[in-house]
Amino acid sequence: MKSKLGGEATSPRDNQGMAENKIITRVLASVQQLDAQTWNVLLASQSTPTPFMRHEYLAAMEQSGSATPDTGWIARVITVWDGDELLAACPLYIKTHSYGEYVFDWAWARAYQQHGLPYYPKGLLAVPFTPVPGSRLLARSQALRVALVHAVQAWAAEQQLSSLHLLFGDADDLAACAAAGWMQRSTVQFHWTNTPPAPPAAGGTATTPSRWKDFDDFLGSLNQEKRKKIRQERRKIRAAGVSFKAMQGSDIGAQDWSFFYRCYERTYLEHGNPPYLTPEFFASMASAMPENWVMFIAERNGQPVASSLIAISALQSMISASKPLFFEDGQAQAAINSKVAYGRYWGALERVDSLHFEACYYQPIEWCIANGFARFEGGAQGEHKMARALLPVETPSAHWVAHPAFADAIERFLQRESEGMAQYVEELQSHSPLRKA
């Protein structure tokens, strides 16, 4: 059955690579057509689940007007079923532009245009406006994950999309895409880890890594120049009379969320753009996913002047609802044991020297140390993060291009880019802020 972009939302077909005739693929018009618990249980069983792939988060993107056809995001959900049982699923967005993605393909779009070919619409397997690495292809097995990739590709060809782009996927996603012949690409992010170098134990065997005791303990791992700079920046904040309070989950009140949005909106407007996310999106987060958020509010003379917001992993609720079968390999439990925080948004109503660094890096890192979080991901781009001990990490993506000649040209480009990226990461690593052993 041939469906158009605005036509049938459900399109059953035999699933490639699957022997059972009852295995079918359905294309849904929204994640809201799926039960939230069914989706979240499947998510929790993946190697790298994040809060941003939760049903509530994706649904809020649509319901709030943030990622909708009016803003250039047409939602679809590709699903694989065995009767009434969901085996695999992924969100897909039909895009009419490349904003809000953080893996840049504007040059590819221009090349298409110069040759009189349409690059848009294209297909995006990603979370809108959220460059956080994690599982994108939710499946009960790797074979089903590969089958899901084939189903997505077949549907994209049917819809005459120019290309498909899986952004910030995990190793399982990339392996499934590679099996289907998709091209690979890498960008760089900057992440902080709560892992002091472990001294060798007796006999030369490394000991189990510990975690920083406090912020000063962490600073001790940096070279003198970076350690001195951070201490100077923090002193400037104290000298300006600025103090911070941190709130988590339900402790974040409606007034706090409202103040945060004022800051967030102002930061975007100062750069000449309206914010991607609406007030309704954050209201949804406050009501549907409060346990996944930590807010820092800066105060001066008793008045709030700035705010930053980080997300945190909180998978226990999903796991408690899951069937034991999903967790025999311990993947989800390992995710709980390795708690992760994600730097997301910030804004200020007053200009204070070094306030951005304090709100977006030092406060979250200090909070992560105090609360036993293993990693703080600083988000897309920003070499300046290295001075705050966020170190370079390659973040992968996978791409399928329908036009054979353009696919060949892009593959050659990616080979050259990959070589340059490897050199770039090596250069970054040579400027590590960590003390030399």
Side-chain angles (χ1 to χ4, degrees):
M1 178 171 64
K2 189 173 180 64
S3 61
K4 299 299 182 183
L5 296 186
E8 285 287 331
T10 303
S11 177
R13 62 177 68 84
D14 288 341
N15 195 54
Q16 294 189 31
M18 305 304 294
E20 298 285 347
N21 290 332
K22 60 182 177 178
I23 302 296
I24 62 170
T25 298
R26 296 191 181 102
V27 180
L28 309 180
S30 168
V31 71
Q32 297 174 74
Q33 291 182 268
L34 285 169
D35 173 69
Q37 181 173 332
T38 300
W39 177 276
N40 287 340
V41 163
L42 184 60
L43 169 63
S45 71
Q46 306 307 300
S47 296
T48 322
T50 70
F52 313 104
M53 280 286 290
R54 282 185 60 174
H55 186 280
E56 295 87 345
Y57 190 90
L58 297 173
M61 283 286 175
E62 298 179 37
Q63 293 169 334
S64 68
S66 299
T68 66
D70 287 343
T71 60
W73 299 76
I74 303 171
R76 292 291 183 266
V77 180
I78 314 299
T79 61
V80 177
W81 300 81
D82 180 354
D84 293 332
E85 190 172 11
L86 181 64
L87 302 179
C90 67
L92 183 147
Y93 295 89
I94 302 162
K95 290 295 300 297
T96 58
H97 55 67
S98 293
Y99 293 105
E101 299 176 14
Y102 305 95
V103 175
F104 303 113
D105 62 352
W106 296 105
W108 303 1
R110 285 194 298 271
Y112 266 69
Q113 184 180 34
Q114 289 165 0
H115 287 79
L117 296 172
Y119 187 66
Y120 305 106
K122 66 176 185 177
L124 196 72
L125 289 82
V127 181
F129 320 118
T130 311
V132 175
S135 300
R136 299 288 180 263
L137 304 171
L138 312 185
R140 295 199 182 187
S141 70
Q142 190 63 12
L144 283 164
R145 193 170 286 108
V146 173
L148 179 61
V149 173
H150 283 295
V152 169
Q153 184 175 321
W155 183 81
E158 180 184 279
Q159 300 299 317
Q160 299 181 346
L161 303 183
S162 73
S163 51
L164 289 166
H165 310 267
L166 184 145
L167 307 185
F168 304 104
D170 68 7
D172 291 339
D173 295 339
L174 272 290
C177 291
W182 291 27
M183 296 175 282
Q184 309 281 308
R185 189 181 192 187
S186 286
T187 54
V188 173
Q189 291 188 353
F190 298 87
H191 299 174
W192 173 88
T193 55
N194 191 0
T195 50
T205 303
T207 59
T208 302
S210 59
R211 291 184 174 172
W212 306 115
K213 293 181 293 186
D214 52 32
F215 196 85
D216 282 338
D217 188 31
F218 152 65
L219 284 182
S221 70
L222 306 183
N223 63 47
Q224 183 179 12
E225 177 190 357
K226 297 299 188 291
R227 184 167 62 247
K228 180 179 178 181
K229 184 175 181 62
I230 290 174
R231 284 175 172 156
Q232 286 175 339
E233 289 171 343
R234 303 202 85 182
R235 280 197 297 268
K236 287 179 182 177
I237 294 299
R238 292 193 297 270
V242 176
S243 61
F244 276 82
K245 64 178 180 179
M247 297 168 290
Q248 180 180 354
S250 58
D251 291 337
I252 307 173
Q255 286 187 329
D256 301 315
W257 281 105
S258 178
F259 173 74
F260 159 77
Y261 195 84
R262 284 177 58 201
C263 297
Y264 163 76
E265 181 180 44
R266 179 164 176 168
T267 296
Y268 269 84
L269 294 176
E270 285 178 348
H271 288 85
N273 299 302
Y276 284 135
L277 302 174
T278 65
E280 291 77 14
F281 172 80
F282 291 105
S284 227
M285 294 299 95
S287 62
M289 294 174 54
E291 70 278 13
N292 288 110
W293 300 100
V294 177
M295 186 180 295
F296 302 91
I297 292 185
E299 295 181 336
R300 190 180 194 183
N301 299 324
Q303 296 298 316
V305 296
S307 181
S308 65
L309 185 69
I310 68 172
I312 60 173
S313 56
L315 296 174
Q316 290 89 334
S317 59
M318 285 190 282
I319 289 178
S320 64
S322 175
K323 299 177 182 178
L325 171 66
F326 277 65
F327 304 106
E328 289 179 352
D329 58 5
Q331 290 176 334
Q333 188 60 49
I336 284 181
N337 294 337
S338 181
K339 297 188 291 186
V340 182
Y342 311 89
R344 300 307 306 128
Y345 315 105
W346 107 287
L349 305 184
E350 292 185 15
R351 295 189 181 277
V352 178
D353 191 12
S354 300
L355 183 56
H356 172 259
F357 303 135
E358 182 70 31
C360 295
Y361 307 117
Y362 307 147
Q363 287 290 321
I365 287 173
E366 195 163 28
W367 186 92
C368 285
I369 293 171
N371 289 275
F373 274 64
R375 190 168 72 252
F376 172 63
E377 299 186 4
Q381 306 162 326
E383 293 179 10
H384 65 277
K385 296 170 184 174
M386 280 195 67
R388 281 85 204 171
L390 281 78
L391 302 182
V393 174
E394 289 196 55
T395 50
S397 57
H399 307 266
W400 169 81
V401 176
H403 194 289
F406 270 100
D408 289 343
I410 288 173
E411 185 170 25
R412 291 193 298 272
F413 164 79
L414 291 178
Q415 289 173 349
R416 296 191 301 271
E417 184 186 61
S418 177
E419 294 171 1
M421 184 62 65
Q423 294 172 358
Y424 173 61
V425 172
E426 185 177 352
E427 174 68 15
L428 288 174
Q429 291 171 340
S430 71
H431 292 89
S432 171
L434 300 177
R435 285 192 308 178
K436 302 232 187 309

